Amino acid sequence: VGMSVSASQIEQAILALHNSQNPHQQEQANLFLLSFNESEAAWGISLELLTRSPALLVQFYAANCLYSK
């Protein structure tokens, strides 16, 4: 995951992972998020998602990402 990743892209991937009916889309979202978790960008974007996203699923993911860092 490059540094050009946005909070919106991460939020979309989280929602796709959990809400998509397409197994390929879920797999791609999972791989993308695993890579994101290892990036330096995960710190700032997770903080942003934790404070701005109304979706509890996204807030949980962001909090978990920060906790695992």
Side-chain angles (χ1 to χ4, degrees), residues 14-69:
I14 294 165
L15 296 175
L17 177 64
H18 293 280
N19 298 331
S20 177
Q21 299 300 313
N22 180 331
H24 178 71
Q25 187 179 24
Q26 287 178 318
E27 181 183 356
Q28 292 302 310
N30 186 51
L31 292 173
F32 178 71
L33 291 169
L34 287 172
S35 177
F36 167 74
N37 283 348
E38 299 296 321
S39 73
E40 277 296 315
W43 285 102
I45 291 175
S46 293
L47 282 171
E48 182 181 343
L49 289 173
L50 193 56
T51 58
R52 79 159 180 87
S53 177
L56 291 178
L57 183 62
V58 174
Q59 291 177 10
F60 176 79
Y61 176 87
N64 193 53
C65 183
L66 290 170
Y67 178 77
S68 68
K69 287 266 183 209

